Amino acid sequence: MKGLKVDIRELITKSSKEQREALLNKDVTSEELVNAVYEQVDTVDDKIGAYNSLTKEYAVETAKKVDEKIQKGEEVAPLAGIPLALKDNINLKSYYTTASSKILENFKSPYDATVTKKLKENLIPIIGKANLDEFAMGSSNENSAFRIVRNPWDLNKVPGGSSGGSAAAVAAGEAVVALGSDTGGSIRLPASYCGLVGLKPTYGRVSRYGLIAFASSLDQIGPITRTVEDAALLLNAISGHDEKDSTSLNQVPPDYTANLKNDLKGIKIGYIKELCSEGLAPSVSNAIQKSLETYKSLGAEIIEISLPLIKYSIAVYYVVATAEASSNLARFDGVKYGYRTKNPENLYDMYVKTRAEGFGDEVKRRIMLGTYALSSGYYDAYYKKAQQLRRLVKNDFDNAFSKVDVLLSPTCPHTAFEIGSKVEDPLSMYLTDIATITANLAGIPALNIPVGLDNSGMPIGLQLQADCLNESKLLNVAFKLEEVVKFDYSAPSKTLV
Ligand code: GLN
């Protein structure tokens, strides 16, 4: 790569905006960007574990198409040529989609997810399939059947889950942007632990077609990026109606970059009392206070909001999510695709052994919990009750959004924890999602933005939530804070090499 006008190793750690400038200036080609990212993968991924598989042929072919168009002076989409990591529960035709499970270890997808189709239309090169907690069940990426993911800021710490590979790839310079999926926090939590922007869109904003379903009434695909603008650009690329997903909203999405720079005068920000007081790490609590002061100085009005039902949200989530998961995962039975046990005695034995051998412990725990919650005699006591509470949680939010534009809280009460420190205690792992789960129950958009580092140098994440379909406002409020915070997101990708 001698003779280049820019330092490409430096460039791949920057936002897509800077890379696009270099592409359009013809300082670099997309193929060079893609190759530089693969070099970084070669150098650091043994340590990080961000990818389950690479999709190099596809990435290079796409990059070449972009370069050809730029050479000819043709217009290319805003993220064309920018290397992306795709969570390995989203289908890319002809490549592996494993959901980090042994049961799908050798499964190659016969079709593209709708988001993947859109990435293709935008000519966004996909570098590889990013590691995750098996079937997206987890908060630390320690539940992958293949290997754990390590946090690029500190290799002894978890990157968060379940989209841990997607976030670690972006933080480590192994991709520039990524797609994750979020059922109870799986985009926002890893973004928080890895110092990135992560956005879970409104339920129905982005098609779920071709995403391996975990809990269908909660799942949503969204961006994990270094900057708020990149998140807006990626959301532009993937959102919109899809007739292949019956829960997809039939509304034309706005341009999410249009309002980023609006000033915040008159905007009402409500800090969530229940999440901003007790049980926070001191560094997190300080960062929240500082952000509130910043918003005040930017002209926003700060109001305290109480969401009393938050204390039930984890219980509600673990009934609803596991019930849906037990039904969604019934299809993995060794018949049509995926792993099948060797030498079963009969059909029943084949089902039982395939599932016993193919699923990991956490997935089995969820299937058992969910099957129990749905079983006759218990349905009313658990599933129906949980659905009723879910409605009340949504009412709490409706009430809050009649008073404020945006809700503010930490994304997690603490920063990334040591690998292995919570594996023996699933309940304490479940509790890391206390701030994120309610957005999925209510279907509202929610975003993580990095706001600083704690004493051990780990990123602290702030969560912003808005009413349904108010992603533009959310991104605007985040953008204004980002301008003040000036978070150094490229720090780990440099120290790693
Ligand atoms: N940590 C939560 C769980 O394990 C959420 C996961 C997710 O959002 N996919 O269920």
Side-chain angles (χ1 to χ4, degrees):
M1 275 166 219
K2 258 189 239 141
L4 285 179
K5 292 179 212 144
V6 290
D7 178 351
I8 198 156
R9 301 208 62 86
E10 173 90 18
L11 188 61
I12 57 161
T13 68
K14 297 282 164 68
S15 71
S16 81
K17 192 179 170 181
E18 285 154 273
Q19 299 183 31
R20 179 175 174 85
E21 262 171 39
L23 284 174
L24 297 184
N25 258 337
K26 305 200 177 106
D27 291 338
V28 283
T29 63
S30 173
E31 194 180 353
E32 283 162 346
L33 278 181
V34 163
N35 285 333
V37 166
Y38 278 120
E39 256 180 55
Q40 179 80 350
V41 173
D42 279 349
T43 320
V44 305
D45 206 50
D46 278 351
K47 288 182 248 178
I48 304 287
Y51 285 109
N52 285 341
S53 59
L54 299 175
T55 50
K56 194 161 184 177
E57 204 177 316
Y58 172 72
V60 172
E61 183 190 303
T62 307
K64 282 183 174 161
K65 282 188 197 155
V66 175
D67 293 336
E68 223 178 276
K69 278 183 177 276
I70 293 177
Q71 269 313 324
K72 286 194 205 143
E74 288 175 26
E75 285 251 341
V76 290
L79 289 175
I82 304 297
L84 173 140
L86 187 64
K87 190 174 180 178
D88 200 14
N89 59 353
I90 301 173
N91 288 330
L92 168 62
K93 191 176 171 182
S94 308
Y95 287 95
Y96 289 110
T97 299
T98 70
S100 286
S101 180
K102 263 173 48 189
I103 214 156
L104 285 175
E105 193 166 6
N106 296 312
F107 175 72
K108 283 190 179 164
S109 174
Y111 70 100
D112 278 328
T114 296
V115 291
T116 310
K117 205 171 133 244
K118 286 174 182 271
L119 297 177
K120 287 185 171 178
E121 286 160 6
N122 281 272
L123 293 182
I124 301 174
I126 297 168
I127 296 296
K129 304 300 297 291
N131 202 346
L132 64 149
D133 283 303
E134 185 177 358
F135 285 105
M137 296 174 184
S139 307
S140 66
N141 223 124
E142 291 165 293
N143 294 339
S144 168
F146 308 136
R147 53 178 179 163
I148 59 167
V149 180
R150 292 175 184 275
N151 192 313
W153 290 80
D154 178 345
L155 297 177
N156 295 316
K157 301 222 162 112
V158 302
S162 64
S163 313
S166 301
V170 177
E174 300 181 70
V176 179
V177 294
L179 285 185
S181 65
D182 191 312
T183 307
S186 276
I187 288 176
R188 290 159 285 158
L189 196 69
S192 163
Y193 288 180
C194 294
L196 299 166
V197 176
L199 170 63
K200 180 202 91 71
T202 305
Y203 184 75
R205 176 82 294 176
V206 177
S207 169
R208 292 179 298 110
Y209 178 74
L211 164 72
I212 295 181
F214 165 7
S216 309
S217 77
L218 304 162
D219 298 341
Q220 200 48 200
I221 296 172
I224 297 179
T225 56
R226 294 173 182 151
T227 66
V228 174
E229 187 175 20
D230 278 4
L233 288 168
L234 194 46
L235 186 61
N236 276 349
I238 60 169
S239 56
H241 181 240
D242 178 16
E243 55 189 28
K244 291 188 178 131
D245 173 0
S246 61
T247 62
S248 154
L249 289 166
N250 197 352
Q251 269 192 35
V252 179
D255 173 2
Y256 291 108
T257 61
N259 298 323
L260 289 179
K261 297 183 177 141
N262 289 2
D263 80 54
L264 299 187
K265 291 212 177 65
I267 290 273
K268 291 186 178 140
I269 297 181
Y271 66 91
I272 305 174
K273 186 176 136 204
E274 288 78 5
L275 294 175
C276 291
S277 48
E278 284 160 42
L280 299 187
S283 58
V284 175
S285 178
N286 289 341
I288 296 296
Q289 287 313 320
K290 216 169 136 194
S291 307
L292 286 170
E293 280 156 29
T294 305
Y295 276 128
K296 219 186 272 175
S297 71
L298 289 170
E301 192 184 330
I302 309 295
I303 298 166
E304 183 183 90
I305 291 287
S306 174
L307 294 174
L309 294 177
I310 278 182
K311 59 175 178 289
Y312 302 119
S313 61
I314 293 201
V316 171
Y317 172 85
Y318 275 93
V319 174
V320 175
T322 57
E324 292 182 19
S326 70
S327 142
N328 275 325
L329 270 58
R331 73 193 68 175
F332 301 104
D333 58 5
V335 176
K336 291 205 185 73
Y337 46 79
Y339 174 79
R340 180 183 298 169
T341 191
K342 311 278 172 290
N343 312 317
E345 281 164 27
N346 52 42
L347 183 63
Y348 182 76
D349 192 48
M350 194 279 286
Y351 289 146
V352 171
K353 285 195 180 136
T354 294
R355 288 167 69 82
E357 292 161 16
F359 289 136
D361 288 350
E362 184 60 33
V363 175
K364 286 178 187 158
R365 186 178 299 133
R366 306 283 177 113
I367 293 173
M368 286 190 278
L369 275 170
T371 307
Y372 180 75
L374 289 176
S375 57
S376 134
Y378 295 102
Y379 182 91
D380 282 357
Y382 295 105
Y383 190 70
K384 196 168 154 209
K385 196 48 132 228
Q387 291 291 20
Q388 287 166 337
L389 258 161
R390 185 175 180 182
R391 178 67 240 179
L392 297 178
V393 168
K394 175 76 169 86
N395 290 354
D396 258 9
F397 276 110
D398 287 348
N399 192 15
F401 290 126
S402 71
K403 299 183 192 123
V404 296
D405 298 288
V406 165
L407 287 168
L408 179 150
S409 70
T411 301
C412 185
H414 47 76
T415 55
F417 50 87
E418 299 275 324
I419 289 167
S421 63
K422 288 187 196 284
V423 265
E424 299 303 325
D425 184 0
L427 205 57
S428 94
M429 187 77 87
Y430 295 173
L431 283 170
T432 60
D433 300 340
I434 180 79
T436 52
I437 269 173
T438 42
N440 302 75
L441 293 174
I444 60 174
L447 162 155
N448 174 77
I449 173 169
V451 287
L453 299 177
D454 70 5
N455 289 340
S456 44
M458 296 307 286
I460 301 169
L462 178 88
Q463 177 175 247
L464 299 169
Q465 306 181 76
D467 205 356
C468 287
L469 296 176
N470 281 331
E471 281 86 353
S472 288
K473 199 182 284 172
L474 205 55
L475 289 159
N476 167 219
V477 172
F479 184 87
K480 297 309 266 189
L481 186 63
E482 182 184 57
E483 281 185 326
V484 177
V485 171
K486 296 193 173 55
F487 186 80
D488 182 12
Y489 49 76
S490 48
S493 41
K494 288 180 192 143
T495 49
L496 274 167
V497 278

